[in-house]
Amino acid sequence: MEYTEITKENISDEHICCIIRAKSHPGIDAKKQWLSERLNEGHVFRKLNAKECAFIEYAPLETAWVPIVGDNFLYIYCLWVQGTPKGNGYGRSLMEHCIKSAKEQGKSGVCMLGAAKQKNWLSDQNFAKKFGFKTVSETKDGYELLSLSFDGTNPEFSPTVTQKIPEKNLVIFYDYQCPFIFQRIEKLQKHCYDNNIPADFKLVNSIEKAKNLPCVFNNWGAFYNGKFISVNQLDGAAVQKIIKKSK
């Protein structure tokens, strides 16, 4: 199992797993720009040394762009293995590397976002629980903060995480941590404009904004009628269903 970690020296030449098929893609460019600005903060992007999708992405919780707070933890943004590599132990190897790294750094543990019911854009919480991760905090709508604590301490959701906002129209919080976001936002903005759907797209462009979000944010948070909808990235059809269901 040979792996490569993204560095400032190799980031322009290495693929980032999620969108391998494209030589040029606006989402990849946005992701690489975002990632290059995070590398000095201890952010790690470790991937299988092959043109396949098998990687883990994590960072010190203090500098992770998520509304989760705590001392001396690593936060896993994403652990994803699909296609040919799946079923060959790469997910286990990547998770074990992260846990080992946390212990070597003297961290208090590792944490990640999960949900009582698996969401498409979240890493598999059931897989994480096989390593000892436990739910230490949860929202009323089923999102969970999972923690693997080495010393008995645990992180928690930021106090701003209420899963509700005063605005009643469609509101999307997003950043460019995920390479699929750029075009998803572009297409959804056009759909809302073409169909006269009031919508507000809020770019999260600082750690201060990320730490103080009203939702359990990974890299996308959708609200409608003041209520949190999902971390799942929405297309036009999904938005139409949400609007229809709310009437």
Side-chain angles (χ1 to χ4, degrees), residues 18 43 93-94 140 186 222 228:
C18 306
H43 193 109
S93 175
L94 289 164
K140 292 181 180 179
E186 189 176 60
F228 185 65

Side-chain angles (χ1 to χ4, degrees), residues 115-154:
K117 184 178 180 181
Q118 181 66 41
K119 306 297 181 182
N120 293 337
W121 295 91
L122 296 184
S123 298
D124 188 346
Q125 62 269 7
N126 290 324
F127 177 74
K129 289 178 179 178
K130 293 178 181 179
F131 292 85
F133 283 77
K134 296 180 179 179
T135 300
V136 295
S137 184
E138 56 189 320
T139 64
K140 292 181 180 179
D141 52 352
Y143 289 91
E144 302 176 345
L145 175 56
L146 304 177
S147 172
L148 174 62
S149 178
F150 306 147
D151 61 9
T153 64
N154 284 301

Side-chain angles (χ1 to χ4, degrees), residues 16-42:
I16 53 172
C17 295
C18 306
I19 309 177
I20 300 172
R21 63 186 179 277
K23 291 183 178 180
S24 179
H25 189 286
I28 293 175
D29 296 338
K31 164 70 176 188
K32 285 191 172 182
Q33 178 61 40
W34 184 91
L35 181 57
S36 67
E37 295 169 1
R38 306 279 79 77
L39 291 175
N40 288 338
E41 301 168 356

Side-chain angles (χ1 to χ4, degrees), residues 16-18 31 34 43-47 53-59 64 66 74-82 90-91 94-95 98 110-113 118-124 127 177-180 218-219 233:
I16 53 172
C17 295
C18 306
K31 164 70 176 188
W34 184 91
H43 193 109
V44 173
F45 190 107
R46 181 178 176 84
K47 67 188 184 70
C53 182
F55 72 97
I56 190 170
E57 187 171 6
Y58 60 88
V66 289
L74 290 182
Y75 176 82
I76 298 176
Y77 281 101
C78 191
L79 171 57
W80 192 15
V81 179
Q82 76 164 13
Y90 295 120
L94 289 164
M95 178 67 87
C98 177
V110 183
C111 61
M112 60 181 278
L113 181 62
Q118 181 66 41
K119 306 297 181 182
N120 293 337
W121 295 91
L122 296 184
S123 298
D124 188 346
F127 177 74
Q177 188 264 327
C178 171
F180 291 99
N218 187 30
N219 45 50
Q233 295 176 27

Side-chain angles (χ1 to χ4, degrees), residues 1 21 45 65 71 92 107 112 157 197 210 215 218 229:
M1 296 183 185
R21 63 186 179 277
F45 190 107
W65 283 36
D71 295 326
R92 172 170 291 277
K107 296 295 184 181
M112 60 181 278
F157 287 120
I197 299 173
C215 54
N218 187 30
I229 301 300

